[in-house]
Amino acid sequence: MTHLTPTQALHGSAIIQALKQARVEFVLSVPDICTSEGLLRPIANDPDLRLVRVCKEDEGVSVCAALSFCAKRSVLLMQQTGLMDSANALRAIAVDYRNPVCMMIGLLGKEPDVPPQQSARYGVRIIAPMLDVLGIRHLVMSSDEDIPACMQAIDEAYERSQPLAILFGRNPQ
Amino acid sequence: MNATRPRDEFLRMLAGRYTGQLVVSVYTTCFEWMAIRPDALNYVAVGAMGQAGSHALGLALGQPDQEVWVLDGDGSLLMNLGSLVTLAGAKPKNLTHFVFQNGSYEANGRASLPVAHAIDFAAMARAAGIADAHQFSEPEALDHWLLHRGPAAGPALVDLRVLSSATSYPQRYDYIHSAEARDTFRAALKALPHTGARA
């Protein structure tokens, strides 16, 4: 087992605490092996967050958009495969319609200490360029130190009414 | 159960029973609903490819004291059938999903569905876990159900066998994709009681 120094570690508990402080009330999710244990399971057991399990990621795009009309903040937790499958929903509902759809995306196959764009895996390497083509702002969350900037980005997404993608640089523990 | 009555007869009946619901509607049904019952609480910016029910779920979760109607198409719902299972899991009591089954992709040239006029969406809904599921081919039967339905224990789905409307309605694509449509809905929703100031 690789032991991470505290600055390298990414803790699900710290992410959940920060989401609450960012006034996120709803989490939409299709399970992702990268985040299931470290983030999704504790969210499911947290009485302060409403977990809505969706069958497909593009449903979550629409649910998040509609919740924003109701002055409710949400995040959509998924794997990069779901992002690619949701391209048309993101194009229309998030980008064309300027809705604050905030996604947190696990990168299956990503090497923990390699930037996503430099991954040896094609399915990881293309994600940031794909978000650039869609016109969706993206950040990488690799350690607890990255959490405040990501939460600030969620604030800005809602203030500016625009989508956001947070890519997990390593699996939360 | 065969379709014998046009969609706009059902929509006029629903308009007569309207009591302030948030109404999410899709393309051809949306254009007809906007003409029959124009209202600031019409949610028209759904994108495409079966997303109407998912937008409605977001509204139902975000506004639990407000009833939400979905006016969906058969081709549309078939692109996102898993959303019925999501709906069953989320269990909103304030959401009724109407599916207007005309057997065609009407907004895309009236081409037929792979199987036309023979899909049992009510059975699909029950199989997905939505117990409150019904099928009607007469507006009067829908009206009777609406008048006599009791308190909801969960979401409802109503499969309506319809013909395409004989009347031609304005196809307001520019409006449904416009910032004006979204801003109008947002302002109207914000003006309702129990809605927060901002996300």
Side-chain angles (χ1 to χ4, degrees):
Chain A
M1 177 183 289
T2 303
H3 293 281
L4 301 174
T5 61
T7 55
Q8 287 177 299
L10 179 60
H11 294 95
S13 58
I15 298 170
I16 290 169
Q17 184 63 25
L19 287 173
K20 292 179 190 176
Q21 288 172 355
R23 297 189 287 122
V24 171
E25 298 177 59
F26 291 84
V27 177
L28 289 299
S29 176
V30 178
D32 160 29
I33 191 64
C34 302
T35 55
S36 279
E37 199 58 44
L39 191 55
L40 179 58
R41 195 178 302 279
I43 284 172
N45 293 322
D46 193 311
D48 295 330
L49 291 171
R50 169 81 189 266
L51 174 63
V52 181
R53 301 180 192 274
V54 295
C55 292
K56 208 156 148 286
E57 292 81 354
D58 57 352
E59 296 176 50
V61 171
S62 299
V63 175
C64 288
L67 280 167
S68 76
F69 283 89
C70 305
K72 301 291 186 185
R73 289 190 177 189
S74 61
V75 293
L76 172 55
L77 190 58
M78 61 177 166
Q79 194 174 93
Q80 85 264 35
T81 47
L83 174 80
M84 289 186 278
D85 197 55
S86 303
N88 187 61
L90 288 168
R91 187 275 308 163
I93 298 155
V95 180
D96 272 351
Y97 293 169
R98 295 185 57 83
N99 281 315
V101 176
C102 294
M103 299 168 281
M104 301 183 79
I105 302 163
L107 298 175
L108 181 65
K110 180 186 173 298
E111 308 85 342
D113 297 310
V114 176
Q117 295 93 321
Q118 295 173 22
S119 172
R121 308 271 185 143
Y122 165 76
V124 174
R125 206 164 56 237
I126 63 172
I127 296 304
M130 177 180 162
L131 289 164
D132 288 335
V133 168
L134 285 166
I136 296 175
R137 181 186 183 191
H138 53 91
L139 296 84
V140 177
M141 183 190 285
S142 291
S143 74
D144 290 350
E145 289 185 343
D146 296 327
I147 294 175
C150 291
M151 297 305 120
Q152 174 67 27
I154 289 177
D155 273 339
E156 291 166 359
Y158 278 92
E159 287 164 6
R160 300 170 186 171
S161 200
Q162 62 185 27
L164 171 72
I166 296 170
L167 305 176
F168 286 109
R170 70 175 76 251
N171 296 351
Q173 55 183 256
Chain B
M1 187 178 287
N2 293 324
T4 59
R5 306 278 287 276
R7 178 176 48 240
D8 54 0
E9 285 191 19
F10 290 84
L11 291 173
R12 290 182 194 286
M13 190 286 303
L14 284 173
R17 296 290 173 209
Y18 181 83
T19 55
Q21 291 84 355
L22 310 180
V23 181
V24 180
S25 57
V26 178
Y27 286 147
T28 306
T29 307
C30 174
F31 297 139
E32 295 183 4
W33 179 255
M34 285 196 298
I36 290 168
R37 198 179 196 297
D39 193 286
L41 291 174
N42 287 337
Y43 186 105
V44 300
V46 298
M49 316 225 10
Q51 294 297 309
S54 302
H55 287 276
L57 175 58
L59 296 177
L61 293 172
Q63 293 284 112
D65 297 325
Q66 187 78 25
E67 200 177 343
V68 181
W69 285 354
V70 192
L71 310 180
D72 209 353
D74 45 2
S76 176
L77 179 56
L78 286 171
M79 291 187 183
N80 201 1
L81 267 182
S83 64
L84 295 180
V85 177
T86 299
L87 187 59
K91 300 183 177 68
K93 296 179 179 178
N94 55 332
L95 192 155
T96 303
H97 195 142
F98 299 96
V99 185
F100 291 82
Q101 182 174 181
N102 69 346
S104 76
Y105 297 98
E106 193 163 343
N108 288 299
R110 300 196 175 198
S112 175
L113 267 61
V115 174
H117 303 294
I119 301 165
D120 191 339
F121 286 103
M124 285 183 174
R126 283 190 285 270
I130 300 170
D132 194 5
H134 310 269
Q135 191 176 72
F136 303 115
S137 61
E138 305 286 339
E140 295 78 11
L142 172 61
D143 193 33
H144 184 268
W145 175 75
L146 280 170
L147 277 174
H148 295 91
R149 67 186 297 199
L157 182 136
V158 182
D159 176 5
L160 300 168
R161 301 297 177 99
V162 305
L163 302 174
S164 296
S165 300
T167 304
S168 181
Y169 294 85
Q171 299 197 352
R172 301 174 62 193
Y173 283 102
D174 286 349
Y175 179 76
I176 67 173
H177 295 309
S178 69
E180 178 192 354
R182 301 190 297 278
D183 291 345
T184 297
F185 178 83
R186 186 179 286 108
L189 191 58
K190 190 176 175 181
L192 292 175
H194 313 302
T195 305
R198 67 186 179 96

